[in-house]
Amino acid sequence: MPNGLITLNLVRDLGLEDRVLMTSKNSVAAQNRFIYYPDHLVRMPGPGSSLLQNISNVLSEPIFKGTISGVLSEVIKPRRPGDLQDESIGSFLTRRFGSALADNVVSAVIHGIYAGDIYKLSARALVPSLWAIEWRNNSIMKGLLEQAFGGMQPMATSDSDIMRTLQSQPIMSDKLEVVKKSSVFTFKGGIGELADRLEAKLDESDNVLILENTNVGQIKLRSVAAGEKINAKEASNREITNYEFDHVVATIPGNKLAGIASRSPTTNLSPLSRTSAVTVMVVNLFFSNPNILPVHGFGYLLPRSVPFEQNPERALGVVFDTDASIGQDDVSGTKVTVMLGGHWWGDFDAYPDEDEGASMAKALLKRHLGIDEEPRAIRVSLQRNCIPQYGVGHEARMEDASLRLESFKGRLRVAGNSYTGVGLNDCIRAARDVVKGLVDGTGTTGLESFVGGKKWSWYKREELKT
C-alpha cells in the first residue's frame, strides 16, 4: 500500500498528473478477470456479479473443485512447525488448503506477476501477509475472518513508519487522490513515460552526469587518505577507465553485482548470486475489429494445471489492453498482449524467434478466444532475464547479503528488483529508502529490513486509512 503512494508522489514531483490514465475499480477491466481452465475462460468471483452468480460459478466450474472443502477444513489443519523458516508458495498453500487452490488458481496469479513456479518461489518473501497471519492465528482463514469483521491485520513495521510519514505530508492533487483509489494506472504514452521524464529531469541538473552503455567490470572498496572510496572499473574497446565514488547505489541484478564485486573473505556477495531470473516473450497484437473479443475484462491467466494440449506454447497469460488501458489509443480496434515463457522456458537452450513468437501468440488466441483474424500490426520482444525469482530462503539470503555489504562501510548499497520486490512500485520504494538512508545516516546496505527477520505491526482497518 505505501509503495503505490510513494510512486504517486514521484508522479506529482515530475509533473505527470495530466498524463495519467487510470482504471477505475468499477471498470469492466477491474471487475472481470479470468483464468483459462481446463479448456475455457472462467470468470473469477468478484464485485461484477451478484452473490448468487458467484456462488453458482464456484459450485459449477471444475477449476474450483476441491477448493471449498480445502478452505473449510483449513482452520483445523496443524499449526506451522516451529522450525519452518520458509517454504514454497505451492507447499505453503497445499499444506493449508490442499493442492486445488494452489495449482488451479494461485499458480495462474503467480504466472501473471512473477512468471514463476509456485513450487520454487518463497512464501515468506512473496505472500508475507499470509505467512504472518498463519503465524499469529495458527490459521489463515481465522486471520482473514478477523480482518473482515474489523479485527487486526498485519503491516510490515517499515511500511507503517512510511504511512505515518505520508500522512504528515501535503495532500496530493485532486487527480492523484482519485488515482490513489483506482485499480491500476499507467500513462498516455505507456509506463515508460515515468522513466523518460525522470531521466529528463535529472539531465537538467548541473551535478548529474549520465553515462550510457558503460560496462562496469569490477567494483571494490579502496582506502585513500581521506577515508574509503568505491573504485569502479569500466572496460570498453580494450581501454580501462577507473572511477572513484564516495557512494555507489547498485540497481543491477543481484547475481551481476555478485560477479563484479571484488571478492575477498569480507566482501564476497555470493548470496546475491543465487537469485535467478526468467525470460518472457511479449507479443503485442492489434486487430482492426473493435469487437473481436468474446468477453471483456482485464484479460486472463493460465495456471500450471492447464492440459498441455491447451497451452503447448507455454503461455502465462493474455492482457486485453483495449479494456485495461482505456484512453491510450485513438484508433478504433482491439489491442491484446500475449505473455509467453517465464519458468516454463527455464531449461531452453534457445528461444523462439520473432516469427515463431508471433505464430505462437496467434495460435493461442485462436484456440482460446476463437480469433482467426490476421492482426493489422504485431510486435514481438524477448525480455531476457527480466523478472527475478525469489526462491525459498530469499529473505535469509538477503539478510546474509546485508551483513556482507556492511564490509563496504556504507559505501555500497543496493536497490532494484532483485531484493525487496520485483514491481515498479517496489523499486521506487527501494530507491527512496536507500536515498533516505544516505541522507539520514540510518542505513548502510539497502537490505537492513531483512536483518533479524521482517518486523510486523498489527492494526485495525480504520487505523490504516490515509
Side-chain angles (χ1 to χ4, degrees):
M1 181 165 50
N3 295 2
L5 297 178
I6 292 170
T7 299
L8 290 181
N9 280 335
L10 178 62
V11 171
R12 177 199 61 197
D13 294 342
L14 293 175
L16 285 170
E17 293 102 320
D18 292 336
R19 300 291 299 171
V20 172
L21 292 175
M22 70 169 189
T23 300
S24 166
K25 290 182 179 179
N26 297 321
S27 69
V28 66
Q31 297 196 353
N32 290 346
R33 305 202 177 206
F34 301 88
I35 289 177
Y36 188 89
Y37 180 89
D39 58 3
H40 62 278
L41 294 181
V42 181
R43 186 186 176 282
M44 292 295 99
S49 297
S50 67
L51 177 61
L52 186 61
Q53 288 175 316
N54 284 330
I55 292 175
S56 175
N57 197 30
V58 170
L59 293 176
S60 62
E61 285 290 351
I63 192 173
F64 298 112
K65 184 179 180 180
T67 60
I68 297 177
S69 59
V71 168
L72 293 177
S73 64
E74 191 273 341
V75 294
I76 62 172
K77 293 290 178 67
R79 65 183 301 165
R80 182 163 75 213
D83 60 349
L84 183 60
Q85 297 300 309
D86 195 7
E87 64 184 315
S88 72
I89 297 173
S91 171
F92 174 51
L93 294 177
T94 298
R95 179 169 58 80
R96 298 307 314 178
F97 298 101
S99 61
L101 180 66
D103 291 345
N104 297 346
V105 179
V106 178
S107 70
V109 176
I110 296 301
H111 280 166
I113 302 173
Y114 302 103
D117 182 352
I118 60 169
Y119 288 97
K120 293 181 179 179
L121 297 177
S122 164
R124 184 174 180 178
L126 299 183
V127 287
S129 294
L130 295 181
W131 185 261
I133 288 170
E134 187 205 17
W135 169 80
R136 181 177 184 267
N137 300 276
N138 295 323
S139 164
I140 295 174
M141 291 307 301
K142 285 180 182 177
L144 294 178
L145 287 171
E146 180 185 358
Q147 290 183 30
F149 290 98
M152 306 298 283
Q153 51 189 301
M155 176 177 282
T157 302
S158 57
D159 289 347
S160 61
D161 292 341
I162 286 184
M163 291 294 288
R164 282 192 288 270
T165 300
L166 294 174
Q167 286 174 328
S168 65
Q169 292 178 346
I171 298 174
M172 293 181 181
S173 66
D174 291 342
K175 174 147 189 178
L176 290 185
E177 282 291 339
V178 174
V179 173
K180 186 170 73 173
K181 300 174 183 177
S182 66
S183 173
V184 293
F185 73 90
T186 184
F187 300 92
K188 294 177 181 177
I191 205 70
E193 274 200 58
L194 185 65
D196 292 341
R197 181 66 65 89
L198 181 59
E199 180 183 6
K201 194 77 171 178
L202 290 172
D203 211 26
E204 293 172 2
S205 301
D206 294 334
N207 62 343
V208 173
L209 174 63
I210 299 176
L211 300 177
E212 297 180 344
N213 301 314
T214 303
N215 180 28
V216 177
Q218 184 185 57
I219 58 173
K220 63 182 180 179
L221 186 68
R222 195 170 80 87
S223 295
V224 295
E228 282 83 17
K229 298 277 188 179
I230 290 289
N231 176 268
K233 183 180 293 185
E234 180 228 342
S236 60
N237 297 324
R238 298 184 179 179
E239 295 184 3
I240 296 177
T241 304
N242 286 290
Y243 300 92
E244 285 195 344
F245 304 101
D246 294 323
H247 297 277
V248 168
V249 178
T251 60
I252 62 176
N255 55 5
K256 299 294 184 184
L257 177 60
I260 66 173
S262 178
R263 289 180 174 269
S264 73
T266 56
T267 62
N268 188 333
L269 301 182
S270 59
L272 299 182
S273 66
R274 294 183 60 189
T275 302
S276 62
V278 295
T279 295
V280 176
M281 178 170 277
V282 180
V283 184
N284 306 110
L285 306 99
F286 180 78
F287 299 91
S288 299
N289 184 352
N291 302 309
I292 202 169
L293 294 175
V295 296
H296 289 279
F298 192 86
Y300 68 94
L301 298 168
L302 290 106
R304 69 191 312 273
S305 53
V306 165
F308 177 79
E309 60 270 19
Q310 290 295 329
N311 186 24
E313 299 83 7
R314 290 313 196 189
L316 302 163
V318 177
V319 179
F320 301 158
D321 299 284
T322 304
D323 292 338
S325 302
I326 296 175
Q328 202 169 54
D329 302 307
D330 54 11
V331 177
S332 178
T334 301
K335 183 169 67 175
V336 300
T337 297
V338 177
M339 298 168 290
L340 305 164
H343 76 97
W344 292 124
W345 292 2
D347 296 329
F348 281 24
D349 295 325
Y351 299 108
D353 61 26
E354 291 190 8
D355 289 339
E356 291 170 331
S359 296
M360 293 164 72
K362 288 188 289 184
L364 185 88
L365 294 178
K366 181 178 180 180
R367 185 184 314 113
H368 291 177
L369 303 179
I371 297 177
D372 204 13
E373 179 180 313
E374 190 66 21
R376 178 176 168 184
I378 190 166
R379 181 178 64 185
V380 181
S381 59
L382 186 68
Q383 309 295 329
R384 293 179 180 270
N385 302 318
C386 61
I387 306 180
Q389 301 292 285
Y390 295 0
V392 175
H394 175 79
E395 294 202 351
R397 288 191 292 275
M398 294 304 102
E399 179 179 20
D400 188 6
S402 184
L403 297 175
R404 291 168 184 254
L405 277 166
E406 288 180 359
S407 64
F408 286 88
K409 301 180 180 180
R411 301 294 179 177
L412 174 63
R413 305 164 194 240
V414 298
N417 66 357
S418 287
Y419 313 104
T420 56
V422 304
L424 172 67
N425 293 338
D426 302 316
C427 292
I428 292 174
R429 159 72 181 279
R432 174 200 179 276
D433 288 350
V434 165
V435 172
K436 187 175 185 300
L438 273 168
V439 173
D440 299 344
T442 56
T444 59
T445 69
L447 301 177
E448 295 84 4
S449 63
F450 293 106
V451 178
K454 184 175 290 185
K455 311 300 188 297
W456 292 91
S457 301
W458 297 81
Y459 299 92
K460 289 190 175 181
R461 184 182 303 167
E462 56 269 20
E463 295 177 299
L464 296 175
K465 295 180 180 177
T466 59

